[in-house]
Amino acid sequence: MVTDMQIVELDIRLPYDGRGKVLKKIVSRVRGKIRDIHFFPPNVLGISEIRMEVEAENIRKLIRELRNVMEEGKVSFKVLSDA
């Protein structure tokens, strides 16, 4: 059975104060699959943005896991290509 890998851009917005603790959990979920990552400084409301490109087989499962890890914040995604 062949699984389809997709390259997905995740856009994660979360409070700057708890970013380290949440980021540690996120990276453990997508370890070895990260192709590119960018950290943006917090805005005036204290919300930090992280954009990462990830290789994923089941993107819906990955998004569900990330939303469960994050108590506050948002996750959005865009499929860039099939690998």
Side-chain angles (χ1 to χ4, degrees):
M1 181 172 161
V2 177
T3 58
D4 293 334
M5 293 291 283
Q6 295 179 326
I7 299 173
V8 179
E9 180 183 82
L10 298 173
D11 187 13
I12 303 169
R13 296 173 189 263
L14 57 136
Y16 184 76
D17 294 340
R19 182 174 83 164
K21 187 175 13 174
V22 172
L23 190 58
K24 182 178 177 182
K25 292 177 185 178
I26 290 172
V27 170
S28 70
R29 301 282 180 174
V30 295
R31 182 172 304 226
K33 302 175 189 174
I34 298 173
R35 297 179 62 117
D36 192 19
I37 189 166
H38 297 277
F39 299 96
F40 295 96
N43 61 15
V44 295
L45 300 174
I47 303 297
S48 179
E49 182 177 355
I50 303 166
R51 286 193 190 149
M52 61 174 80
E53 289 182 15
V54 177
E55 283 186 36
E57 290 179 22
N58 187 347
I59 187 61
R60 296 200 188 280
K61 180 181 175 186
L62 177 64
I63 296 296
R64 193 176 329 115
E65 288 178 358
L66 293 179
R67 286 185 177 153
N68 288 337
V69 167
M70 295 180 3
E71 296 158 4
E72 298 178 33
K74 292 182 178 181
V75 178
S76 59
F77 69 95
K78 176 173 52 172
V79 177
L80 299 177
S81 69
D82 291 329

